[in-house]
């Protein structure tokens, strides 16, 4: 397994729309393992392949405290079932920033698992929020897109300054 480099906002590669996975093979399974290792090391609760500059429709999530409930979704299709929840969101691609975002509280996701088998999962609460957040990455969308222009600009400028300092 490998720890992959996570792209940081405002990197334009984060805006790339991910392509569908044609077949689930050993290369995809290795990528899943690398995504989980990268997510756990960061540490985070979700990661999309797009965030590591691999623009394929793959996300991994584990919201458990003990990091023992991993979820892998290949080619996820999201259906909003209802309700609203407002919560503080952060993102490994927008490090150090947390803002309130409103999302659906109940979703259905259809996807392939690491063996290429299709499955469906209904999720509520934090898991529903995380699934929506990660699926947004596959469309080239970030949680900062839900914020005002003023907040988004402030975050972008702070991160650009940090990137210049690190360079």
């Amino acid at each position: 397994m490998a720890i992959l480099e996570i792209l940081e906002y405002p990197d334009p590669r984060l805006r790339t729309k991910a392509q569908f996975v044609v077949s689930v093979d050993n290369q995809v399974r290795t990528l899943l393992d690398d995504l989980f290792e990268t997510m756990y090391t960061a540490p985070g609760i979700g990661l999309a392949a797009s965030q590591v500059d691999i623009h394929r429709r793959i996300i991994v999530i584990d919201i458990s405290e003990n990091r023992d409930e991993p979820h892998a979704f290949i080619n996820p299709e999201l259906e909003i079932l209802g309700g609203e929840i407002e919560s503080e969101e952060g993102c490994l691609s927008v490090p150090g920033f947390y803002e309130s975002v409103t999302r659906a509280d109940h979703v259905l996701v259809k996807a392939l698992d690491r063996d290429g088998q299709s499955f469906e999962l209904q999720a509520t609460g934090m898991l529903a929020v995380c699934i929506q957040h990660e699926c947004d990455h596959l469309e080239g969308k970030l949680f900062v897109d839900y914020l005002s222009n003023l907040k988004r600009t402030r975050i972008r400028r702070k991160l650009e300054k940090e990137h210049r300092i690190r360079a």
Side-chain angles (χ1 to χ4, degrees):
M1 290 193 284
I3 297 172
L4 306 171
E5 180 182 350
I6 299 171
L7 301 176
E8 291 186 7
Y9 179 73
D11 192 310
R13 294 173 290 178
L14 288 166
R15 299 302 186 174
T16 304
K17 188 170 179 175
Q19 301 298 309
F20 283 91
V21 174
V22 177
S23 71
V24 179
D25 54 18
N26 285 336
Q27 183 182 20
V28 169
R29 285 185 277 279
T30 298
L31 175 57
L32 284 169
D33 293 340
D34 292 347
L35 287 170
F36 275 115
E37 177 141 353
T38 302
M39 177 188 74
Y40 289 137
T41 300
I45 60 170
L47 187 65
S50 298
Q51 291 176 269
V52 296
D53 202 23
I54 299 172
H55 302 285
R56 299 179 77 189
R57 299 186 72 78
I58 300 172
I59 63 173
V60 297
I61 295 172
D62 189 342
I63 63 168
S64 67
E65 286 187 34
N66 296 327
R67 301 180 175 269
D68 59 359
E69 296 176 26
H71 296 280
F73 303 89
I74 301 166
N75 296 335
E77 296 176 25
L78 190 61
E79 182 180 337
I80 304 299
L81 298 179
E84 276 191 356
I85 184 171
E86 186 174 325
S87 60
E88 289 286 305
E89 285 191 32
C91 181
L92 295 175
S93 291
V94 189
F97 293 91
Y98 299 88
E99 296 288 343
S100 185
V101 176
T102 301
R103 294 193 185 264
D105 184 48
H106 190 197
V107 301
L108 171 70
V109 62
K110 299 175 184 178
L112 301 176
D113 66 15
R114 70 180 296 118
D115 296 317
Q117 300 300 309
S118 62
F119 71 96
E120 292 184 3
L121 175 71
Q122 282 196 42
T124 58
M126 179 58 73
L127 183 56
V129 167
C130 196
I131 290 169
Q132 292 168 84
H133 177 109
E134 299 309 329
C135 283
D136 275 354
H137 279 296
L138 303 180
E139 300 300 324
K141 188 171 184 175
L142 302 172
F143 93 96
V144 295
D145 297 338
Y146 292 91
L147 306 177
S148 69
N149 282 336
L150 181 65
K151 283 186 180 180
R152 190 170 42 255
T153 299
R154 178 180 52 89
I155 291 169
R156 188 187 77 243
R157 286 184 179 154
K158 284 185 179 182
L159 287 174
E160 285 173 339
K161 182 178 179 182
E162 287 179 24
H163 295 157
R164 282 193 302 275
I165 291 169
R166 279 189 253 152

